[in-house]
Amino acid sequence: MLVESLAYSKLQELLPDVQKQSPPAQPKEKKKLYLKFTKKELEQMTAKYKHIFAHGDKIVTYRQKKNGVFEARFHRRGIDIEVSSKDLNTLKQKFIDALNNYAATSSVKAKSRHTVFFNDFAKNWLSIKEKTTKPVTFREYKRLFEHDITPAFAGKTLADIDREFIQTFLFRYVERGKLRTAEKLQLILRCIFDLAASDYKFDSPMAKIVLPKHQSKKGSAFTYEEEKQLVDYCIAHPEMAASDALLVLLYTGMRRSELQTLRIIDENWLECDTSKEKMGNDIVPRRIPITPMMRKVLPYIDFEKAKQTNVNTINTTIKRLFPHHHTHELRYTFITRCKECGINHELVMLWDGHSFDKDVKTSVIDRGYTDYSEKYALAEAEKFNYAL
């Protein structure tokens, strides 16, 4: 035995160094990570597969890559799902959405709030509004969407946008003194997210959005002196593009948008189509009496020229003549003068196309069932007569 031991030692000395090295260490097996779904999260799963994860032995493994992104995979029971996210809670929600989409469509790539881009969804909403709102309203929606919303929300899915993001977005307008714009954007975003929340079953981030209260600037009627200045100027400058339109607006109370629908019925009445009616409703014509004040300026009015006057021309003319007034205040002036002359308030509402006036203590139904005679209406219209 001693001989054998010595021979073995000698043999070890003669063997190459490579054989003396210990075998390479085996890499440590990575610990598997598993998604753990809460009871609330399990309740979100489709009934078709929920029992697999709630009561069965099926688990979902995930891993974290070097760039910090989590990846989850599940390839069993005929289900093939792979999702990824930088946030673990979002990863679980994506898996649930993919599972539900798979149950409904046999595809994990079906649309969800995690896969649908906000701007794409908003464009679909905008196409609906184009068919259900008046052109002037739609143009304002489209302008705000393209100029303000699209750049700020580019590349974001519906799930990427939370309350904080929207609140910060709107406050930027508030800080610049554009509170009215912020209110318009808030309205558009609320409509879009209400529809998205209904389609994809999530809570709208608009629910807790707040803005400072905005006091709209209230217009004021022209004074009698200003009214006289305007009338005298229009009469003295018949070549002015807006002179005819301004006299019509002043003594009819029509809205600018209604001017192009103006029609002469006879020596006592004018008619126009009320522009405040919702799209899809029947066009509502309304009659406006030719009052004594209107008769005084009739010789200086070309009604066809008034109808064709560009709205921007009317606005800029008013601003040039009366910097502290705007065109809509011609309507305020007509309504104010009617009340000052003691004309029946309900008749004034019928003439100016208002559906509600807090100063008139009757209901909309009462007015609907009140049919004033033409004789009475014209007698009231004769009261619209005063000195300038």
Side-chain angles (χ1 to χ4, degrees), residues 31 71 118 134 176 179 192 199 228 236 242 247 249 251 259 294 296 307 312 319 344 377:
K31 184 180 179 181
E71 286 186 344
F118 173 86
K134 290 189 174 182
R176 300 203 306 260
L179 188 52
I192 294 171
D199 284 358
K228 186 177 188 307
L247 291 174
L249 294 175
Y251 288 128
L259 193 57
M294 171 65 87
K296 293 176 183 180
K307 289 172 61 175
N312 291 328
K319 277 298 177 186
N344 182 307

Side-chain angles (χ1 to χ4, degrees), residues 22-40:
S22 58
Q26 295 295 323
K28 292 183 178 180
E29 186 176 349
K30 289 186 177 180
K31 184 180 179 181
K32 287 187 177 181
L33 303 172
Y34 305 103
L35 289 182
K36 296 180 180 180
F37 296 103
T38 66
K39 185 177 180 181
K40 184 177 179 180

Side-chain angles (χ1 to χ4, degrees), residues 239-269:
E239 77 287 351
M240 186 176 65
S243 59
D244 304 85
L246 290 174
L247 291 174
V248 171
L249 294 175
L250 176 63
Y251 288 128
T252 63
M254 293 171 56
R255 301 177 180 91
R256 290 162 294 180
S257 56
E258 297 167 343
L259 193 57
Q260 61 185 354
T261 68
L262 177 63
R263 299 178 290 276
I264 301 173
I265 304 301
D266 54 34
E267 68 277 6
N268 293 318
W269 296 98

